Amino acid sequence: MILPGLYAILSPITIGFLIGPTCLTGLLGGSIVSGMMLAIMMSNAGGAWDNSKKYIEIEGAAGGKGTETHKACVVGDTVGDPFKDTSGPALNILIKLMSMISLVIAPLMEDKEDWQEFYWGFIPLAAMLLGTFAVYKMFWSKNIDITADVGGGDKKDVEANEKVEEVEA
C-alpha cells in the first residue's frame, strides 16, 4: 500500500506543476469518473456474490449446501465481502485525497499557464520514481521459494511424501 498512497499524493502535484492547472483538472475529472464507476461495480458485484451464497444456503437453490455450486459461491463470497466492504468505499477516500491535494497546491499554480515553470514538476516525479525503485528493492526483488512450504512442511517433507505414495502404489 506504499506505492498507491505515494501515487495518490504525488500524481496531482506532478501533473499540476509539470503541465498545469488545465491538465490537473482533467486528471481529477478522470479519477472521479473512473473511481466512481469502479466503486459502484465493486459494491454491486460484492453484494451479488454475497447474496448468491445466501440464496443457495437459505433457499436450497442449485442443490443447496455441500454442492459444487455452493463451494463456488463460498469462494465468490470470500472475494465479494472485501469488494463491497473495503475496496469500493476506499475509492471514495482516494478521490477525496487527490482533490484535497489539488486544493492545497492550487494557490501555488495561481495565474500560471500550462507548461509555465514546468521544471518544478520534475521534483515530485523524481520522488515517485525513487519511491517505486525503493519499494521494488525492499519488497519485490527478493526471490521467494514458494515450494518450500507446501502442505505445511518443507521441500524434504514433500519429497518424502512422494516416495511414500510411490511405494504404496
Side-chain angles (χ1 to χ4, degrees):
M1 293 306 296
I2 296 170
L3 283 181
L6 186 70
Y7 293 158
I9 292 169
L10 291 179
S11 61
I13 298 171
T14 302
I15 295 298
F17 287 129
L18 186 65
I19 300 173
T22 307
C23 192
L24 180 59
T25 304
L27 173 75
L28 289 177
S31 66
I32 289 169
V33 170
S34 61
M36 181 192 68
M37 295 309 245
L38 189 61
I40 291 171
M41 184 278 305
M42 291 173 116
S43 295
N44 285 336
W49 278 327
D50 189 36
N51 289 336
S52 67
K53 185 187 82 152
K54 290 176 185 173
Y55 179 63
I56 288 175
E57 290 176 352
I58 295 171
E59 299 292 327
K65 283 187 175 181
T67 62
E68 290 298 318
T69 305
H70 180 255
K71 290 177 187 175
C73 284
V74 168
V75 171
D77 182 53
T78 305
V79 175
D81 282 338
F83 253 43
K84 68 180 171 55
D85 296 336
T86 58
S87 300
L91 287 170
N92 183 30
I93 309 287
L94 174 70
I95 293 168
K96 286 181 183 178
L97 177 66
M98 291 177 73
S99 299
M100 291 306 295
I101 295 292
S102 300
L103 285 172
V104 168
I105 67 169
L108 299 173
M109 294 185 298
E110 189 176 8
D111 298 328
K112 299 265 196 281
E113 295 293 322
D114 287 347
W115 297 102
Q116 184 180 356
E117 299 179 5
F118 66 92
Y119 42 85
W120 291 109
F122 288 122
I123 296 171
L125 181 62
M128 281 197 308
L129 292 174
L130 286 173
T132 303
F133 182 73
V135 168
Y136 173 78
K137 279 300 198 185
M138 287 191 299
F139 301 110
W140 297 335
S141 66
K142 296 180 174 110
N143 291 328
I144 300 171
D145 185 17
I146 60 173
T147 61
D149 201 29
V150 174
D154 60 4
K155 196 171 184 178
K156 292 178 185 175
D157 290 340
V158 173
E159 291 171 358
N161 288 338
E162 289 174 355
K163 288 180 182 177
V164 169
E165 289 172 2
E166 288 175 7
V167 171
E168 289 176 353

